[in-house]
C-alpha cells in the first residue's frame, strides 16, 4: 500500500514535469527513476512487508526493473519468442541508438537534402506537386527513420523552397508532420511507441507492416485528399513565372560522394534486416547495434562527429522512464488499471478496444506518447490475461494507432510536431495553436474514426 502510493505520486509528478517542459526531460525521468529505486523498492516495500503483510521482494524487484541481466542472455540477441518486458527495455534503447548513428551518418553526407531536392526537381518545382510529393515522402521515410529526423530535413528544405518559389510553407510543413506521424505508425521502427510495443510483446517488423501498416496506408489516401483540397488554393498558382534554371542542383547537396553510396547501402541493409528479422530471429537489439557499428566502421574519420550528434538525452530519458514504469508494474498498479478498464467496459471487447484507441489518442495529444505507451503496454498484457490472450495483438495495434496518430492533433502532441513548428517559426512563420489545430485536428479525428472502424471490422 505504501509502495503503491509512493510510486503513483512519483509517476504523476514525472508526467506533470514532462508536460510543463520546464526542465530537461531526461533529468526528470532519471531523478524520478532514482526516487523509485530508493523510496518504492527500498522504503515502501520494506514498510509494506513489515506492517501491512506485504509480499514484496525488494532485491528481486530492483533486479527485474534494472533488467541488466537480460543483455547477457542469448535470447536478447537471437530470439524466437517474446522478449522480457519488465523494467528497462534495453532492446529498445540499443535499437534506437543504432538507428540514430545510422541516420547521423546519412545526414552527414547530405542524403536527406539530396532526396528532397531530387524530388522537387522531378515534379518541375510545381508547388502543388511538391506539396503532395513531400507528404508521400514523409510517410515513406518515417516508416524506417525516426520522424523527428524526417521532419527536421523536410521542413528545412520546404522553407528553402518557399523562399525560392515565394510561398508560405506552414501548411506544407504541417501536412508533412501529420504524414510522418502516420507513416511512423506503419512499422515497428517508425515511431518510438511502436518500438516499445514490438520489443515488449515480441512482434516483428512484418507484424506491424501487415496490421498497423495496412491501416496507415488506407488512412494515407484520406489524408492526402484532405490536405490537397484544404491547401490547393494557396499553392496552385505559386511559382508559375519563376525561372527555376538557377536553382541549386540536387547533386550540390551531397557532401561526400563515396560516403553517400556507403550510407545508401547501409540503409538498405537495415531495411532488409528489419523486414526479415522474424525469419532470421535476429533481435532488434542485434540489428541496431550491428547497423550502428557498420556505420562507424565505414565512417572511421568522422566517428567523433557522428557520435557527437547522437541524441543521448532521449536515450537517458528512456532509461529513467522504464524504471518508473517498472515501479508501477512491480507494485501491481498496472494490474489494477487493467481490471478497472475491464470493469468499465463490462468485458465488451468493442468498448475495450475503443477505450484503448481513443484514450491513447487524447492522452497523446497533450502528453508525450512515449511514456504513455511504455505505461500502457503492461496494462494491455494484463487485460489480455483477463479477456483472453488471443486479443493481445488487437490491443497492441489499437495502442499503436492511438498513440501515434493522436499526437498529431496539437503542436505538442509529438516530437515531430514541435520540430516542424520550430523550423517554421525560425523562418519567420510562427504557428500558433489555433492555426495548427484548425488544419490538423479534423484529419486526426477522421483518421482515428477510420482506424477504429477498421479494427472493429478486421479483428472483432
Amino acid at each position: 500500500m505504501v509502495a503503491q502510493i509512493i510510486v503513483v505520486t512519483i509517476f504523476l509528478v514525472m508526467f506533470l514535469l514532462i508536460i510543463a517542459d520546464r526542465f530537461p526531460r531526461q533529468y526528470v525521468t532519471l531523478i524520478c527513476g532514482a526516487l523509485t529505486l530508493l523510496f518504492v523498492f527500498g522504503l515502501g516495500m520494506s514498510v509494506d512487508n513489515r506492517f501491512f503483510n506485504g509480499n514484496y521482494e525488494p532485491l528481486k524487484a530492483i533486479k527485474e526493473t534494472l533488467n541488466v541481466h537480460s543483455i547477457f542472455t542469448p535470447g536478447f540477441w537471437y530470439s524466437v519468442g517474446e522478449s522480457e518486458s519488465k523494467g528497462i527495455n534495453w532492446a529498445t534503447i540499443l535499437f534506437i541508438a543504432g538507428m540514430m548513428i545510422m541516420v547521423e551518418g546519412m545526414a552527414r553526407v547530405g542524403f536527406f537534402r539530396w532526396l528532397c531536392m531530387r524530388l522537387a526537381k522531378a515534379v518541375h518545382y510545381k508547388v502543388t506537386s511538391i506539396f503532395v510529393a513531400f507528404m508521400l515522402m514523409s510517410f515513406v521515410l518515417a516508416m524506417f527513420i525516426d520522424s523527428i529526423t524526417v521532419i527536421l530535413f523536410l521542413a528545412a528544405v520546404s522553407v528553402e523552397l518557399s523562399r525560392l518559389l515565394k510561398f508560405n510553407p506552414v501548411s506544407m510543413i504541417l501536412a508533412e508532420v501529420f504524414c510522418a506521424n502516420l507513416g511512423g505508425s506503419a512499422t515497428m521502427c517508425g515511431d518510438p511507441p511502436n518500438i516499445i510495443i514490438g520489443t515488449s510483446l515480441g512482434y516483428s517488423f512484418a507484424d506491424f507492416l501487415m496490421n498497423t501498416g495496412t491501416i496507415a496506408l488506407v488512412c494515407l489516401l484520406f489524408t492526402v485528399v484532405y490536405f490537397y483540397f484544404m491547401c490547393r488554393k494557396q499553392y496552385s498558382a505559386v511559382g508559375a513565372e519563376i525561372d527555376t534554371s538557377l536553382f541549386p542542383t540536387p547533386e550540390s547537396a551531397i557532401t561526400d560522394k563515396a560516403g553517400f553510396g556507403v550510407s545508401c547501402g547501409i540503409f538498405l541493409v537495415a531495411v532488409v534486416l528489419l523486414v526479415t528479422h522474424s525469419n532470421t530471429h535476429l533481435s532488434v537489439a542485434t540489428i541496431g547495434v550491428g547497423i550502428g557499428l557498420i556505420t562507424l566502421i565505414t565512417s572511421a574519420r568522422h566517428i567523433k562527429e557522428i557520435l557527437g550528434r547522437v541524441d543521448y538525452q532521449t536515450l537517458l530519458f528512456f532509461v529513467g522512464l522504464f524504471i518508473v514504469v517498472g515501479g508501477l508494474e512491480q507494485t501491481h498498479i498496472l494490474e489494477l488499471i487493467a481490471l478497472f478498464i475491464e470493469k468499465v467496459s463490462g468485458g465488451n471487447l468493442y468498448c475495450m478496444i475503443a477505450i484503448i484507441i481513443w484514450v491513447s489518442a487524447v492522452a497523446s495529444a497533450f502528453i508525450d506518447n512515449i511514456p504513455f505507451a511504455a505505461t500502457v503496454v503492461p496494462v494491455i498484457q494484463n487485460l489480455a490475461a483477463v479477456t483472453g490472450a488471443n486479443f493481445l495483438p488487437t490491443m497492441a495495434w489499437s495502442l499503436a494507432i492511438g498513440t501515434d496518430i493522436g499526437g498529431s492533433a496539437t503542436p505538442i502532441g509529438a516530437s515531430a510536431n514541435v520540430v516542424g513548428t520550430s523550423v517554421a517559426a525560425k523562418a519567420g512563420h510562427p504557428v500558433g495553436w489555433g492555426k495548427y489545430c484548425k488544419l490538423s485536428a479534423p484529419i486526426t479525428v477522421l483518421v482515428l474514426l477510420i482506424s477504429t472502424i477498421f479494427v472493429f471490422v478486421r479483428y472483432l
Side-chain angles (χ1 to χ4, degrees):
M1 180 178 179
V2 174
Q4 290 180 332
I5 293 173
I6 295 174
V7 74
V8 169
T9 302
I10 292 173
F11 178 77
L12 292 176
V13 169
M14 180 188 75
F15 249 108
L16 290 173
L17 290 174
I18 291 174
I19 295 171
D21 198 25
R22 297 291 298 274
F23 307 99
R25 64 179 189 167
Q26 69 273 15
Y27 295 153
V28 171
T29 61
L30 286 173
I31 291 173
C32 289
L35 293 175
T36 299
L37 293 174
L38 182 61
F39 290 105
V40 177
F41 299 142
L43 177 63
M45 288 185 175
S46 298
V47 171
D48 283 339
N49 286 341
R50 185 171 181 179
F51 298 103
F52 298 99
N53 299 317
N55 191 30
Y56 293 117
E57 298 179 55
L59 293 179
K60 181 181 178 182
I62 292 173
K63 180 182 177 182
E64 289 184 347
T65 299
L66 294 180
N67 201 24
V68 176
H69 63 279
S70 67
I71 300 175
F72 302 99
T73 60
F76 183 83
W77 305 99
Y78 182 83
S79 177
V80 294
E82 187 174 315
S83 61
E84 178 63 60
S85 62
K86 290 185 177 181
I88 301 175
N89 192 327
W90 292 108
T92 293
I93 293 171
L94 290 176
F95 174 73
I96 292 176
M99 298 304 285
M100 283 179 176
I101 292 172
M102 180 194 74
V103 167
E104 291 303 332
M106 296 173 71
R108 183 191 66 81
V109 299
F111 173 83
F112 299 105
R113 186 176 176 80
W114 169 84
L115 184 60
C116 293
M117 298 302 293
R118 171 60 66 185
L119 192 57
K121 185 176 181 179
V123 297
H124 307 291
Y125 296 102
K126 294 180 179 178
V127 178
T128 303
S129 299
I130 293 174
F131 181 63
V132 174
F134 276 24
M135 278 194 287
L136 296 176
M137 182 166 61
S138 180
F139 178 90
V140 173
L141 285 177
M143 292 172 65
F144 306 98
I145 299 171
D146 181 71
S147 58
I148 300 173
T149 302
V150 173
I151 292 303
L152 189 63
F153 288 94
L154 263 180
V157 174
S158 297
V159 167
E160 182 177 348
L161 288 173
S162 73
R163 290 168 177 164
L164 295 172
L165 297 171
K166 312 299 182 185
F167 67 88
N168 188 316
V170 169
S171 296
M172 183 176 291
I173 291 173
L174 297 188
E176 292 162 359
V177 166
F178 190 92
C179 288
N181 291 330
L182 183 61
S185 72
T187 66
M188 193 184 77
C189 63
D191 215 23
N194 291 15
I195 300 173
I196 294 171
I197 294 168
T199 53
S200 298
L201 303 179
Y203 297 137
S204 68
F205 183 95
D207 291 330
F208 273 90
L209 191 62
M210 295 302 294
N211 292 280
T212 58
T214 305
I215 298 172
L217 196 60
V218 171
C219 293
L220 176 64
L221 175 62
F222 289 90
T223 300
V224 172
V225 171
Y226 169 82
F227 278 110
Y228 175 78
F229 281 104
M230 289 293 291
C231 307
R232 63 174 179 171
K233 287 185 178 180
Q234 69 180 101
Y235 290 144
S236 58
V238 175
E241 300 178 356
I242 296 176
D243 182 10
T244 59
S245 62
L246 301 178
F247 284 12
T249 63
E251 288 70 24
S252 64
I254 301 174
T255 59
D256 182 346
K257 290 185 178 180
F260 181 86
V262 172
S263 292
C264 290
I266 293 173
F267 178 64
L268 290 176
V269 170
V271 172
V272 171
L273 288 176
L274 287 168
V275 171
T276 61
H277 92 94
S278 60
N279 303 112
T280 63
H281 303 305
L282 294 176
S283 72
V284 292
T286 301
I287 295 172
V289 171
I291 291 298
L293 288 175
I294 292 172
T295 300
L296 294 176
I297 291 171
T298 55
S299 307
R301 292 183 299 174
H302 305 280
I303 289 179
K304 185 176 180 180
E305 177 186 351
I306 292 173
L307 291 179
R309 292 183 177 179
V310 171
D311 187 3
Y312 297 104
Q313 290 85 357
T314 295
L315 301 178
L316 292 173
F317 166 78
F318 273 112
V319 172
L321 169 65
F322 283 130
I323 292 175
V324 177
V325 173
L328 293 172
E329 189 170 12
Q330 293 291 339
T331 56
H332 310 295
I333 292 294
L334 300 180
E335 293 178 23
L336 296 176
I337 295 174
L339 291 172
F340 176 75
I341 294 175
E342 197 271 339
K343 184 178 180 179
V344 169
S345 63
N348 185 293
L349 284 170
Y350 288 92
C351 183
M352 201 176 294
I353 293 300
I355 289 173
I356 293 173
I357 293 176
W358 287 91
V359 170
S360 300
V362 173
S364 296
F366 299 98
I367 60 177
D368 198 312
N369 59 5
I370 297 172
F372 185 85
T375 306
V376 178
V377 164
V379 171
I380 66 173
Q381 286 179 299
N382 286 308
L383 270 176
V386 175
T387 59
N390 291 337
F391 295 106
L392 180 59
T394 304
M395 294 177 186
W397 312 140
S398 301
L399 175 60
I401 289 295
T403 52
D404 294 338
I405 303 304
S408 299
T410 67
I412 62 171
S415 299
N417 309 11
V418 177
V419 170
T421 53
S422 296
V423 171
K426 289 179 181 178
H429 303 281
V431 183
W433 273 69
K435 183 183 295 185
Y436 185 100
C437 295
K438 182 179 179 181
L439 186 61
S440 297
I443 185 60
T444 301
V445 174
L446 176 61
V447 166
L448 287 170
L449 283 172
I450 294 169
S451 300
T452 304
I453 295 170
F454 190 100
V455 171
F456 283 175
V457 173
R458 181 174 180 182
Y459 300 108
L460 300 180

